[in-house]
Amino acid sequence: MGPLIPQGFVNADLNLFFAFIIGLGFGYVLEQAGFSSSRKLAGVFYSYDFVVLRVFFTAAITAMTGLLFFGYLGWIDWDLLYINPTYLWSAIIGGAIMGFGFILGGFCPGTSLTAAVIGKIDAMVFIGGMFIGIFIFGEFYNAFQSIYTGAFLGNVFVYDTLGISRDGFAMLLIVVALAAFIITQRIEDKVNKTPDLEKKARPSYWIPSAVLIAGGLLLLLLPSQPRSGWHEVSPDKILTTMSNQHHLTGIDEVAYSLINGKDRPVMLVDVRSAEDYARFALPGAVNIPLHQILDHRYENILRSPDQKVVLYSNSNTLATEAWMVATRAGIENLTLLDGGLNGFVQTIFQEEHITDSYNLNVEHQGRFREKARNYFLSGKAVPKTESVGTPVIKLIEIEKPVQGGC
Amino acid sequence: MNKIQANILKNATLLFAIVGIMALLVQWIAAPDYKAENEAVLSTIANDDQKILPLQLHEMITTNQLANYTLVDLRSSHLFNVGTLSGAINIPFADLLKKGSLKQMKKHGNSVLLFSDDESQAVAAAVLLISKGFDDVKTLANDYDYIKKNVLETFDPASAFSKSEKARFDYNRFFRTGGGADGAPVRTQPKIIQTEIVKTQGGC
């Protein structure tokens, strides 16, 4: 289910369910377009019915325009899209075989299934032929292997090869598609000798054409990424939060959490480098180095709903940088440790604690810090939540496939 | 294609267009006023070459390079009046994003040098200015009082590379493990991170 699962909108277990629903939709569309009729399908080769070309071209430019807009709005992450790798020989030879089979049998793989399901026997035989072909390919794979994997060009894009921009190519494709619709209509009329009356009664498609061309032009004009997303937090709000110091968490609160873990749980995030983290980290802290703070994989950790998330580094500086970038991205209720590790050690371990004062607050704080100091020095700083088992954080990593195709 | 199907096509494309336009409008209206993408800002600050260490500042002062920057003192006006870097203007942190302030800071194009009595505040101001489109933003490492003592008055070579993020202690000494006096470093128990590999695949 493409980009929706890695981004956490959809549970990964629903993958097959969505595949099923989409499959139903695809079969329905094919049937509605009349693609279960081999006569209609083969018409594209004999010039009397170009419906196959029109349907697939329309689908392609609609999907392309939609994807490009969704990418711009940030609803789709292009890095997560699967791109078919290009194997030249496989594409050419396989395409020729498929075209040959299409003309002969009047079906292609997907449409043969929709036709077989409604009871057409020629479609069922076609499917049988497909399986024989698959069997032969599998059995004699060793003979085909060098051709099959030959001329591997990687995941190339046609606009890169042509040397034009992606949005430029999109516009070009829309224009070519519209031209193709007009030209194929003319050819159809000539071959079928359509009477003028019928031609005149045809509805005009200027509205859909205008919308598509306008869409293509808009894509050309828009930058590839908006400079700020609608879900981001405004700079003024960030400035106000910082001026009021609402983004800080005190040392005492973190110390308390380290001692009485279950009571007031705090999720500590170390934003320093992996080396610094390995050398020392506060008990129970997770490492998300600054340069990875916007990584999708860690988003769930930073957005913990039931815990207070506290970023820390050696001082306030690095943690502040991480806090600002993450907060702008829309992560709420994030705070940072005021003083960092330097301040923590200074306050708890180096300073003289006032344990006897007429000011009760000062006295309580002093006694607490003295207790914390002894607690950490005597080695009891293992999170009490240990008894309920070490919590597991699941990250989803997207593995880019090496081979694919259909 | 008959009339009904043509109508469906017309209505569907109009709906497609309307949804697209509304989404773009929402994006345009609701998006806050930033001039640089968040990822771009992150890679700029992750490079960490905006911070001017005491040694570099000393060199910049002696070679008069400071004149190329708009010097901005983010402290309160009271502290500013007591004493500041020569040639600096005063913009208290809370007023950083006001129109007048931004205009003042454009005196030397996009080159701004920020400092404060808290290094993290200067860095915060730098991040905000970078995301507002200033592309040459620097901050002074350390707070103003430290800089005054170790660079402005007489340069102290021991402070040459000092900055807040330097670890001031051997932290392991303070978070000991069982027993106490042996000083062995605590083996911290981070949460287990399980990586689930999701393969993306294509099809037709």
Side-chain angles (χ1 to χ4, degrees), chain A residues 228 233 281 317 342 379 395 406, chain B residues 32 34 36 119 171 176 188 196 204:
Chain A
S228 72
V233 173
T317 302
N342 288 340
L395 297 180
C406 58
Chain B
Y34 286 110
E119 189 193 271
Y171 306 119
R176 302 219 184 102
T188 52
E196 182 186 315
C204 62

Side-chain angles (χ1 to χ4, degrees), chain A residues 365-377:
Chain A
Q365 190 182 65
R367 283 182 190 264
F368 168 74
R369 288 181 180 173
E370 191 61 36
K371 178 180 156 202
R373 180 173 178 275
N374 294 331
Y375 185 90
F376 294 129
L377 283 176

Side-chain angles (χ1 to χ4, degrees), chain A residues 210-228:
Chain A
V211 166
L212 274 173
I213 293 184
L217 284 172
L218 196 57
L219 280 174
L220 275 176
L221 292 171
L222 286 174
S224 63
Q225 290 272 283
R227 278 174 310 202
S228 72

Side-chain angles (χ1 to χ4, degrees), chain A residues 144-269:
Chain A
F144 299 128
Q145 190 174 19
S146 52
I147 306 177
Y148 181 67
T149 53
F152 176 54
L153 299 177
N155 297 343
V156 286
F157 290 95
V158 62
Y159 51 84
D160 283 333
T161 316
L162 288 175
I164 55 180
S165 75
R166 184 186 61 211
D167 297 329
F169 179 74
M171 186 69 218
L172 183 67
L173 198 63
I174 290 173
V175 169
V176 165
L178 292 174
F181 297 158
I182 298 173
I183 295 174
T184 53
Q185 188 65 55
R186 298 257 167 92
I187 299 177
E188 249 182 54
D189 286 340
K190 220 179 207 145
V191 169
N192 295 329
K193 300 194 182 57
T194 324
D196 277 341
L197 213 59
E198 198 179 308
K199 275 195 236 175
K200 285 210 172 71
R202 237 179 245 144
S204 131
Y205 299 110
W206 72 269
I207 292 181
S209 312
V211 166
L212 274 173
I213 293 184
L217 284 172
L218 196 57
L219 280 174
L220 275 176
L221 292 171
L222 286 174
S224 63
Q225 290 272 283
R227 278 174 310 202
S228 72
W230 54 272
H231 58 281
E232 286 183 354
V233 173
S234 78
D236 294 303
K237 182 145 181 253
I238 293 182
L239 186 62
T240 315
T241 308
M242 296 189 77
S243 305
N244 297 332
Q245 308 212 313
H246 286 159
H247 64 305
L248 300 173
T249 294
I251 289 168
D252 294 319
E253 189 175 338
V254 171
Y256 184 90
S257 172
L258 288 175
I259 297 171
N260 309 300
K262 251 186 289 183
D263 222 17
R264 211 189 290 166
V266 155
M267 160 84 80
L268 290 166
V269 175

Side-chain angles (χ1 to χ4, degrees), chain B residues 91-104:
Chain B
I91 300 180
F93 184 66
D95 299 333
L96 185 73
L97 298 178
K98 293 209 172 114
K99 261 212 176 85
S101 311
L102 293 171
K103 221 168 161 193
Q104 271 188 299

